Amino acid sequence: MARRRTRYQGNAVDTDPVIRLWLLRILIALGVHPEFVRSNGFRNDALAEILGLAHWIDPFPNDFDLKAVQGELRQLHQKAEKQWAKAPQPAFLCSNVRRLSELVGLSPTDCRILEFAVSIQNERLLDDTADWLGQLSSLKVFHVLSVILDLPEPKIRASLSAQGILARSGLVSIDRSGTSTLRGKLDLLSDGFADLMVTSEADPISLLRGTVSAAGAGQLRVQDYGHISPSLEILLPYLRHATTTGRRGVNIFLHGAPGTGKSQLARALADELGCELFEVASEDADGDPVNGESRLRAFRAAQSFFAQRLALIAFDEVEDVFNDGDSFFGRKSTAQVRKAWINRILEENAVPTLWLSNSIRGLDPAFIRRFDMVFELPVPPKQQRERILRDNCGDLLDAGTLSRIADAENLAPAVVAKATSVVRSIRDDLRQTGAAVVFERLISNTLEAQGHRPLVRHDPCRLPEVYDPIFIHADADLNGVANGLGKARSGRLCLYGPPGTGKTAYGHWLAQQLDVPLLVKRASDLMSPYVGENEQNIARAFRQATQDGALLLIDEVDSFLQDRRGAQRGWEVSLVNEMLTQMESFSGVFIASTNLMDGLDQAALRRFDMKVKFDFLRSEQAWELLRRHCVQLGLPSPQPDLLSRLMRLGRLTPGDFAAALRQHRFRPLESAYALVSALEAECVVKDGAKRSIGFL
């Protein structure tokens, strides 16, 4: 803690009269002068000099007169009471206390206590002298302060009560945990608060540095959050009502992955409502992180400071408070330890508050029900991701690269902004590599570090160049299905059959025919080791498809729709129930694909509008597909003798053709015979042995 140092000029001492008066009251009125004046001299020569007893320092041997010194000390006290009883505080401290008083509504007694609490933190001799009072209980502190400040003890007690403005604002509170020195019993707002109070005259908000701060200008508008418009249609009118009527206990819990724009949304809401926005600090004035308890005190202070202003408060990274415990070791979070206090705050806070978190997991349900609104801020849909990319770095990316990057479902606005900033700072040095390549690499690395899939330059699930539903052996007219869905714009399909038969490719093609985005979710995207999170991921996928207006394709859906009659665990049943609920409420086109039709829940199967079987290629399909690929590769047309070899491949799929063509990139296929040989090799690996059965 920085201390204000007393300055000496010869025998004259430059210190504030009110400090000397307090020192004398401690020594004489509180009777600790025997600790200061000993039979052979002073215990603290600096204190003696400040009080005007310098001529008794280092006298000739045996000339120190204890009684004379004590008498002179009493006279100094009497003189100080007459001269300095109404002495003002130093200019900065006096002005800053007055400003805080106007902001919070402090009484004269509150102001005197605040002045003393700041002074004892900054004046070393005042602190040292008060230490001679010994270890004090809270009750003893009230008496000591009443003597030092010459105020009635009942007023001191009322001012420092838990219901007093000093405590509610966090400016000064009594540490009621046991005994301590006077300085130790008086807790100030923050570690740097005392120093700020005496070193400059500033706006009250700047005095709260390390506690709460005014939010910076926002970069986005409410209109940029169209993907959560249903929530905003409720939130905006509610906040407008709360700020204009002074409604108490208004709390909104907003959660979402890092970088999705929660802080920017808080600023956009404040701009839209014409409010000031103040943020609870997560670090002190020195830039060091503060713990959950300190942040709660800062929040309580902010509620008092801004109760009379048209304002919102943003409490970001609330994990510091609600989820800083350790359930494994039985350690409760800061909020759980102070559950009653938190509940009361959530019911009575005067300033509407936005509580921002990366996740709602781990939040005590008792707290959740006390928030007026709880909603998630997801990653923006692809259309908005494309707009964000164009706005930030449209001059760095070509249209194809921009669209491919926008395909990343977990691409948050903050990730784009950070990568753009890096690339622009070194753009002149990227002549060979290229800004677009570096930008894509930065985005991909960040996504992977966050636990997401990196950007895919060559999507293995993309629609093949040679694609036509006529090459799919299905038990339904796939073109007719596409036409029907184009008119209805809604439907639930279950595509089942062996791997490689074209189920996922059909989903890509169908999305193109319907002219809608495609949202593909694999089982690995949705499965989680945490109980209850699978259901959340499923709900999130359907919600994202609704927001994007996308066709939703869930691959390996058997992971979520196993027959509930064979379930051995409760979560297996809840997983199926969640999938069924989402399917029924989804108004778009939903495709579920699976290689394992047996064992699916019967109720789930009834909820699909169509169940389409995808099977191995028929002989005529395989032959025509071979001819098409030969044209694509610039190879001579296949000779008739190859037909018999194809017919022996009874389990041939379009996926086998795709695998063979991928080999062509590094091991060129020079003839139709080489292509058929590659197909035969694929079937051998797939079947485990050569098969010689005809097409079914």
Side-chain angles (χ1 to χ4, degrees), residues 323-344:
N323 201 24
D324 60 341
D326 191 327
S327 57
F328 182 80
F329 292 102
R331 181 166 59 86
K332 294 183 177 181
S333 68
T334 299
Q336 288 171 325
V337 171
R338 292 157 182 78
K339 198 166 188 176
W341 186 86
I342 291 286
N343 289 342
R344 188 166 61 252

Side-chain angles (χ1 to χ4, degrees), residues 374-614:
V374 179
F375 66 94
E376 180 183 12
L377 181 59
V379 173
K382 181 178 179 180
Q383 183 177 8
Q384 188 169 337
R385 295 196 298 269
E386 288 181 335
R387 184 184 62 76
I388 291 170
L389 284 165
R390 282 195 300 270
D391 292 346
N392 280 268
C393 50
D395 58 324
L396 303 176
L397 308 174
D398 59 69
T401 302
L402 189 147
S403 179
R404 186 173 65 254
I405 295 175
D407 280 334
E409 299 168 6
N410 297 292
L411 181 61
V415 176
V416 174
K418 181 61 68 176
T420 303
S421 174
V422 172
V423 171
R424 292 197 183 283
S425 68
I426 59 174
R427 188 175 185 180
D428 294 340
D429 301 321
L430 299 176
R431 296 186 184 89
Q432 294 183 350
T433 307
V437 174
V438 173
F439 181 84
E440 191 169 355
R441 186 180 304 157
L442 290 172
I443 293 288
S444 186
N445 290 347
T446 300
L447 289 174
E448 193 168 13
Q450 291 177 326
H452 308 307
R453 279 194 174 88
L455 295 178
V456 179
R457 297 184 63 86
H458 303 286
D459 186 1
C461 296
R462 70 183 184 277
L463 198 63
E465 294 182 23
V466 178
Y467 183 86
D468 193 312
I470 66 172
F471 297 126
I472 302 296
H473 181 192
D475 62 356
D477 178 2
L478 298 182
N479 279 301
V481 170
N483 292 332
L485 289 174
K487 297 176 181 178
R489 313 304 292 185
S490 177
R492 298 187 290 265
L493 306 183
C494 178
L495 311 182
Y496 67 97
T501 50
K503 300 182 292 296
T504 301
Y506 179 69
H508 282 257
W509 178 82
L510 183 58
Q512 287 185 359
Q513 302 308 301
L514 300 179
D515 193 24
V516 296
L518 175 67
L519 178 61
V520 179
K521 291 293 184 180
R522 303 165 185 84
S524 58
D525 298 327
L526 302 176
M527 295 298 283
S528 169
Y530 300 106
V531 175
E533 196 159 295
N534 292 337
E535 291 86 339
Q536 296 177 24
N537 292 339
I538 291 171
R540 189 177 295 113
F542 278 92
R543 186 165 62 248
Q544 182 179 349
T546 300
Q547 293 168 349
D548 292 2
L551 184 156
L552 176 61
L553 169 62
I554 296 184
D555 200 5
E556 302 171 4
V557 78
D558 46 278
S559 301
F560 308 101
L561 290 179
Q562 287 296 314
D563 196 329
R564 286 169 290 185
R565 291 173 297 181
Q568 298 179 352
R569 304 173 184 86
W571 62 265
E572 294 175 320
V573 175
S574 64
L575 197 61
V576 176
N577 291 341
E578 181 64 31
M579 178 65 80
L580 297 183
T581 299
Q582 294 297 332
M583 287 172 55
E584 290 182 332
S585 61
F586 185 58
S587 60
V589 177
F590 169 57
I591 294 179
S593 68
T594 177
N595 302 330
L596 304 172
M597 193 65 166
D598 295 338
L600 291 189
D601 189 86
Q602 296 302 305
L605 291 176
R606 290 196 300 271
R607 284 170 170 79
F608 286 105
D609 302 318
M610 285 188 67
K611 292 170 279 292
V612 182
K613 181 180 180 180
F614 281 55

Side-chain angles (χ1 to χ4, degrees), residues 677-696:
S677 295
L679 293 172
E680 290 172 336
E682 288 296 323
C683 288
V684 168
V685 173
K686 177 174 63 177
D687 298 342
K690 291 185 179 180
R691 298 179 182 270
S692 298
I693 57 175
F695 285 92
L696 300 179

Side-chain angles (χ1 to χ4, degrees), residues 213-394:
S213 60
Q219 299 174 334
L220 300 176
R221 301 171 302 164
V222 169
Q223 291 77 7
D224 294 316
Y225 291 86
H227 55 298
I228 57 167
S229 57
S231 296
L232 292 179
E233 289 172 0
I234 303 171
L235 178 59
L236 269 170
Y238 183 58
L239 288 178
R240 186 173 288 111
H241 169 78
T243 54
T244 55
T245 63
R247 182 185 178 94
R248 302 180 73 87
V250 175
N251 295 280
I252 312 298
F253 193 95
L254 174 60
H255 62 100
T260 50
K262 299 183 291 295
S263 298
Q264 287 293 326
L265 175 57
R267 297 175 185 184
L269 288 170
D271 288 341
E272 182 74 15
L273 296 170
C275 295
E276 297 177 279
L277 178 68
F278 298 98
E279 298 174 337
V280 176
S282 57
E283 58 183 35
D284 60 23
D286 296 326
D288 297 322
V290 294
N291 59 29
E293 183 174 355
S294 297
R295 298 196 70 201
L296 281 178
R297 289 186 60 189
F299 170 72
R300 180 180 61 181
Q303 288 292 332
S304 294
F305 296 145
F306 310 123
Q308 305 304 318
R309 301 172 76 146
L310 188 62
L312 298 176
I313 292 176
F315 197 128
D316 202 356
E317 299 178 9
V318 300
E319 295 88 345
D320 291 345
V321 173
F322 289 106
N323 201 24
D324 60 341
D326 191 327
S327 57
F328 182 80
F329 292 102
R331 181 166 59 86
K332 294 183 177 181
S333 68
T334 299
Q336 288 171 325
V337 171
R338 292 157 182 78
K339 198 166 188 176
W341 186 86
I342 291 286
N343 289 342
R344 188 166 61 252
I345 280 291
L346 293 177
E347 294 169 356
E348 300 176 358
N349 58 298
V351 184
T353 302
L354 302 168
W355 303 76
L356 313 180
S357 175
N358 293 333
S359 173
I360 199 169
R361 183 160 45 89
L363 187 65
D364 191 323
F367 295 137
I368 293 179
R369 66 183 179 84
R370 284 179 164 79
F371 289 101
D372 301 287
M373 287 184 64
V374 179
F375 66 94
E376 180 183 12
L377 181 59
V379 173
K382 181 178 179 180
Q383 183 177 8
Q384 188 169 337
R385 295 196 298 269
E386 288 181 335
R387 184 184 62 76
I388 291 170
L389 284 165
R390 282 195 300 270
D391 292 346
N392 280 268
C393 50

Side-chain angles (χ1 to χ4, degrees), residues 94-141:
C94 187
S95 176
N96 287 331
V97 169
R98 185 179 68 253
R99 290 168 180 265
L100 288 177
S101 176
E102 294 171 354
L103 180 65
V104 185
L106 300 177
S107 68
T109 300
D110 296 332
C111 292
R112 301 295 81 75
I113 293 174
L114 177 58
E115 290 167 351
F116 179 81
V118 168
S119 298
I120 199 171
Q121 293 282 341
N122 285 295
E123 294 286 352
R124 167 183 261 173
L125 283 178
L126 183 59
D127 180 19
D128 291 344
T129 303
D131 283 350
W132 292 332
L133 293 166
Q135 296 292 302
L136 304 175
S137 66
S138 299
L139 292 177
K140 187 66 174 177
V141 168

Side-chain angles (χ1 to χ4, degrees), residues 163-197:
Q163 292 73 39
I165 294 178
L166 286 178
R168 285 192 284 110
S169 67
L171 288 171
V172 184
S173 60
I174 290 287
D175 180 0
R176 301 180 186 274
S177 59
T179 61
S180 183
T181 62
L182 182 57
R183 181 174 181 260
K185 294 291 286 185
L186 298 174
D187 285 338
L188 285 180
L189 183 62
S190 66
D191 290 341
F193 177 68
D195 191 54
L196 290 171
M197 288 288 287

